[in-house]
Amino acid sequence: MEVKNAIHKAKANDQKAFNFLLHTYWDDVYGFQLKRIGNENDAEDITIQTFSRAFDRIETYNDEFVFKTWLITISKNLHIDLLRKEKSSISRQISNEDANTINQVLDESPSAEDKIITDQNLAKLLRDIKKLKPHYQEVINLRYFQELTYKEISTELKEPINNVKVKLLRAKKLLSEIIQNE
């Protein structure tokens, strides 16, 4: 399958075309992020988000541009958004003038109420995961609860690594839909 044909089919929601595009461009996007971030897990997460966003918005892709460039631009923007979020979460830097003042330290350890809420949220998430088909439940469990790498999941399921990535991408999208619809 050639790339232009795959893009056309992907716009028509053809799963084989999505798989082809993911397989064709995964290394390019992942390599780009790995060079930027230097952390394999973060690069992998942003790469997955890149393909998820690209596939959600494939109909907006303009054929006049190179598809790889479009993917890399999405990936770069996701990374910039992540950096902005991290930057805004830092409340303030201590300057030399502040060094002499006494700062109160906020106790950020979870309260009993926070623990109950967390447990309730986890229980709801587990109920939502159980609404997925068993093979999607399994891949989510292996990745997020057992914290296996894609390679380890591939070995465990005896499936190619790209199938695992696509399956996880679909599972996350379906789970997101379940959560939003409740």
Side-chain angles (χ1 to χ4, degrees):
M1 183 181 303
E2 107 179 28
V3 173
K4 282 191 178 194
N5 187 26
I7 293 167
H8 179 71
K9 287 182 176 182
K11 285 183 177 184
N13 212 19
D14 182 318
Q15 291 302 317
K16 288 183 181 179
F18 287 130
N19 289 349
F20 173 79
L21 293 170
L22 179 80
H23 179 72
T24 302
Y25 292 105
W26 176 269
D27 290 340
D28 295 321
V29 177
Y30 176 74
F32 171 78
Q33 281 302 333
L34 190 57
K35 285 178 189 171
R36 284 179 70 107
I37 299 173
N39 178 313
E40 290 179 7
N41 288 331
D42 291 343
E44 201 170 81
D45 287 343
I46 291 176
T47 302
I48 290 171
Q49 290 174 27
T50 299
F51 282 98
S52 177
R53 181 159 300 165
F55 293 162
D56 284 346
R57 299 181 181 157
I58 190 83
E59 69 281 347
T60 66
Y61 170 70
N62 183 342
D63 297 19
E64 295 175 20
F65 301 101
V66 178
F67 189 72
K68 177 180 167 184
T69 305
W70 186 66
L71 285 172
I72 295 294
T73 302
I74 292 170
S75 187
K76 181 178 75 169
N77 289 338
L78 284 169
H79 183 234
I80 289 169
D81 290 347
L82 179 72
L83 292 175
R84 283 184 186 138
K85 285 179 188 174
E86 288 175 0
K87 186 176 180 183
S88 69
S89 71
I90 298 172
S91 57
R92 80 176 197 182
Q93 300 285 335
I94 297 176
S95 66
N96 288 338
E97 295 97 40
D98 292 332
N100 294 330
T101 61
I102 299 173
N103 295 313
Q104 288 185 321
V105 177
L106 180 63
D107 180 13
E108 293 184 1
S109 60
S111 67
E113 293 86 6
D114 291 336
K115 289 179 183 174
I116 291 170
I117 290 169
T118 300
D119 290 346
Q120 288 174 343
N121 288 339
L122 180 59
K124 183 188 178 323
L125 177 63
L126 291 172
R127 282 193 307 272
D128 290 341
I129 290 171
K130 288 193 184 291
K131 293 176 184 175
L132 296 171
K133 291 182 180 176
H135 60 278
Y136 289 141
Q137 290 178 30
E138 182 178 30
V139 75
I140 285 180
N141 177 40
L142 293 171
R143 179 69 176 145
Y144 296 106
F145 292 97
Q146 295 183 29
E147 298 181 351
L148 298 182
T149 65
Y150 288 108
K151 189 174 185 178
E152 292 169 333
I153 295 170
S154 174
T155 304
E156 176 85 17
L157 299 178
K158 297 178 179 72
E159 291 185 19
I161 197 163
N162 282 331
N163 286 7
V164 169
K165 291 174 186 173
V166 170
K167 193 179 285 186
L168 186 61
L169 183 68
R170 288 182 188 152
K172 286 170 46 178
K173 191 176 287 189
L174 291 170
L175 182 59
S176 171
E177 290 171 8
I178 289 170
I179 291 169
Q180 288 176 357
N181 290 334
E182 289 186 358

